[in-house]
Amino acid sequence: MCLMMAAAPMALAQTPSPKPATPASAPADKLLAGPDASGTLSPGQASYTIGITFGEQMRHADIADQIDLDAVTRGMKDGLAGKKTTAADQQQINAYVRTARLRAAARNEAASKEFLAKNAHEKGVITTASGLEYKVIEPGDPKAPAVMPSDEVSVQYRGTLLDGTEFDSSYARGVPITFKVNGVIPGWQEALALMKPGAKWLVFVPPELAYGPNGQGSIPGGSLLKFDVQLLSVKPSGAPPTAPAAPVAPSAPVAPTPKAAPKSN
């Protein structure tokens, strides 16, 4: 919960003074430019990157909509001038972040329930007993045996949040991902057990079958996850992999690296 505090030491270490090194009129492309020939960032470029890093941390902490940028600027200037926070300050800000994240997770969970309730009535959408929803785009090989928890599968997928933000995709990496079925989030485990090699599905994973109220990395707490999934092949334990039902051209990337959903607090 010390996400906010992590940015401050970096800013103090890398920014020599509160005076901006780059004029306010400098074009954006100058700020966004990379290191020079020697590999060194200018003070303006470094300062901009520090700002981006801080913004990312606030977004990942689910409190981006509760940040007063004017107050942040005043605080940074005071910090650069030598003002220090106390242990009590740090405890208070950590408590603030925890509370803000819980509120954001509650909002996300409510939005997830509302979406799933409507989506369940869409043509072709199937809802399981657990609350998982999916739509079959291509059924795959009907003669293939059922996928078991200990099987190893190879898939292509793209994962997005409810607002359409892509958080992971094997297509972006240009290669499929291979993993044990029982090594991923519960929603994926359930979906894969119902799929056949060559199948393409749209899968809608409720937060309780994904990462719950805590979230994971760039995935905010309480988030519903949407996936475009293609099951390429299945390798039963101790057996060679089955051939993909159809060749799949690498496309785009970064699917949630298979991890079990963290336990809720």
Side-chain angles (χ1 to χ4, degrees), residues 15 21 26 32 34 36 50 53 73 81 109 118 123 126 132-133 157 167-168 175 200 203 208 215 228 234 244 254 260:
T15 308
L32 295 173
D36 58 23
I50 289 170
T53 301
T73 300
E109 288 176 359
K118 294 179 180 178
K123 183 178 180 180
I126 299 171
L132 181 78
E133 294 182 0
Y157 72 96
F167 60 84
D168 204 1
V175 293
K200 289 183 179 180
V203 182
E208 60 269 23
D228 298 287
V234 181
V254 184

Side-chain angles (χ1 to χ4, degrees), residues 59 108 111 115 160-167 220 223-224 226:
R59 183 177 177 83
N108 291 337
F115 171 84
T160 58
L161 300 176
L162 199 54
D163 65 1
T165 300
E166 182 177 294
F167 60 84
S223 294
L224 174 140
K226 297 181 182 181

